Amino acid sequence: MAPKGRRAQGNREEGERITPFSQSQAILDLTQRHESGDLYLAVLALYSVHLFSHVRWVKSDDSDTGLGLCGWILVITSLFFTIITFPISIWMCIKIIKEYERAIIFRLGRILKGGAKGPGLFFVLPCTDSFIKVDMRTISFDIPPQEILTKDSVTVNVDGVVYYRVQNATLAVANITNADSATRLLAQTTLRNVLGTKNLSQILSDREEIAHSMQATLDDATDHWGIKVERVEIKDVKLPVQLQRAMAAEAEAAREARAKVIAAEGEMNASRALKEASLVITESPAALQLRYLQTLTTIAAEKNSTIVFPLPINMLQGIMGANR
């Protein structure tokens, strides 16, 4: 029976992961063994070390990976056939993803440790590995017009636009079937719920506050999906035709009332000014004659063909007295 210390050391060596130093040491050993310096063997050794770096040699009952004995047999078999079919198999193992993408690798149906891969080049094992690409760019979509009953029992149609992006690719793949469709449906429901608690006047005047409230609600609901809602905007609020006519009539009546009040205030101010002017004119009889002359000047400036010359009232009184 082996000592406990030696058994523990063997278990540690069995569970060790291949490091870059061990990769370089393995390549150096292979090149030293083949004195001919065959380039093919060197490339094959490098490729094999890269593939082995993706495999963690642990016991079959390891709770971290959970592949089981059969799973590890399949992985080792796939790795063996990949090595013996080199360099043809390299075209099946090397994958490239773009700068704005991430790849979630599944090995025998389980997500590999380390999360999303990319951007750039990564390796997969044929037959046992599969991967899903996730776009990390900002996505925008329109919320279809929603018929909403406001708090004051007014029916309106409201639409909007939502901007979101995938923040955690692993959660977006593992926690939900279709993150894009779920976010769209949730945005429609959130729009109806938020606007249903507002009056019509609040919807028309507090659009920015409503947009911030919707963004906070959506961001909190989609956080465990790996989705980050960046912006929400209310595009248009469509009122019923009858309500538009009633609001237009109300606004027109309010404008007419204000116009009448302004006209009445103008008449009152004008009458006060005329009263003060009459008091000034009564103090000097010649002032009335000067006012007549000023009126003639105003009429003559308008190029009229008929000019009325007013006669002094005293002269008319003298003529009427002589006739008697």
Side-chain angles (χ1 to χ4, degrees):
M1 185 173 181
K4 294 183 179 179
R6 184 176 300 175
R7 186 187 308 168
Q9 182 179 0
N11 290 338
R12 284 199 305 270
E13 292 176 354
E14 186 180 2
E16 284 181 356
R17 191 180 183 90
I18 296 177
T19 61
F21 176 77
S22 60
Q23 296 177 10
S24 303
Q25 188 65 32
I27 296 173
L28 182 59
D29 293 342
L30 286 175
T31 54
Q32 289 177 355
R33 291 178 183 177
H34 297 275
E35 296 178 355
S36 60
D38 192 355
L39 180 61
Y40 175 80
L41 293 177
V43 175
L44 178 60
L46 177 61
Y47 178 60
S48 302
V49 170
H50 273 290
L51 290 178
F52 273 105
S53 65
H54 290 274
V55 180
R56 186 180 180 183
W57 301 99
V58 297
K59 298 173 67 177
S60 60
D61 58 350
D62 192 353
S63 61
D64 292 338
T65 57
L67 293 179
L69 179 60
C70 295
W72 280 111
I73 292 175
L74 291 176
V75 171
I76 295 173
T77 303
S78 176
L79 181 63
F80 174 73
F81 281 105
T82 301
I83 294 175
I84 64 176
T85 57
F86 181 84
I88 299 176
S89 61
I90 193 172
W91 305 109
M92 301 174 59
C93 298
I94 294 179
K95 304 296 180 182
I96 300 175
I97 57 176
K98 300 178 182 178
E99 179 69 28
Y100 54 84
E101 293 177 335
R102 297 295 183 270
I104 307 300
I105 303 176
F106 293 87
R107 176 161 296 166
L108 297 179
R110 295 178 178 271
I111 298 178
L112 288 184
K113 291 184 177 181
K117 307 296 182 182
L121 182 144
F122 62 95
F123 293 90
V124 295
L125 292 176
C127 302
T128 60
D129 291 358
S130 61
F131 68 95
I132 298 176
K133 291 183 180 180
V134 180
D135 196 332
M136 306 295 289
R137 293 176 293 183
T138 299
I139 301 173
S140 62
F141 64 89
D142 293 329
I143 302 177
Q146 303 293 312
E147 189 173 358
I148 300 169
L149 183 65
T150 61
K151 190 176 181 180
D152 51 355
S153 301
V154 178
T155 303
V156 294
N157 289 330
V158 184
D159 57 355
V161 60
V162 177
Y163 299 87
Y164 77 94
R165 62 180 175 86
V166 177
Q167 189 175 17
N168 191 321
T170 303
L171 296 180
V173 172
N175 288 0
I176 190 159
T177 304
N178 191 336
D180 180 73
S181 176
T183 305
R184 292 173 184 267
L185 296 176
L186 184 61
Q188 298 178 21
T189 307
T190 304
L191 179 65
R192 299 174 68 91
N193 293 338
V194 172
L195 296 184
T197 60
K198 304 291 183 180
N199 297 326
L200 179 61
S201 59
Q202 294 176 342
I203 295 176
L204 296 177
S205 59
D206 299 337
R207 292 191 179 186
E208 186 175 355
E209 181 181 354
I210 294 174
H212 287 308
S213 177
M214 286 186 58
Q215 178 183 355
T217 304
L218 285 174
D219 195 19
D220 183 66
T222 58
D223 185 55
H224 62 283
W225 297 344
I227 301 297
K228 172 65 177 177
V229 179
E230 297 181 339
R231 189 178 182 88
V232 178
E233 291 292 341
I234 303 298
K235 292 176 60 178
D236 190 14
V237 179
K238 297 181 181 179
L239 303 178
V241 178
Q242 296 180 352
L243 182 59
Q244 293 180 11
R245 292 176 180 175
M247 294 178 65
E250 181 182 0
E252 185 178 359
R255 288 194 297 269
E256 290 179 356
R258 288 196 299 269
K260 291 180 179 179
V261 170
I262 293 173
E265 291 178 353
E267 291 292 339
M268 182 177 62
N269 295 332
S271 61
R272 289 176 180 175
L274 290 174
K275 178 182 177 181
E276 295 177 358
S278 62
L279 294 176
V280 173
I281 290 174
T282 53
E283 295 177 357
S284 176
L288 182 61
Q289 186 65 27
L290 293 176
R291 181 59 180 165
Y292 287 157
L293 295 176
Q294 186 178 3
T295 304
L296 288 176
T297 303
T298 305
I299 295 173
E302 296 179 357
K303 299 181 179 179
N304 293 326
S305 58
T306 303
I307 299 177
V308 179
F309 290 94
L311 295 175
I313 297 176
N314 297 332
M315 184 181 296
L316 291 177
Q317 291 177 354
I319 293 174
M320 292 175 63
N323 291 334
R324 291 177 183 177

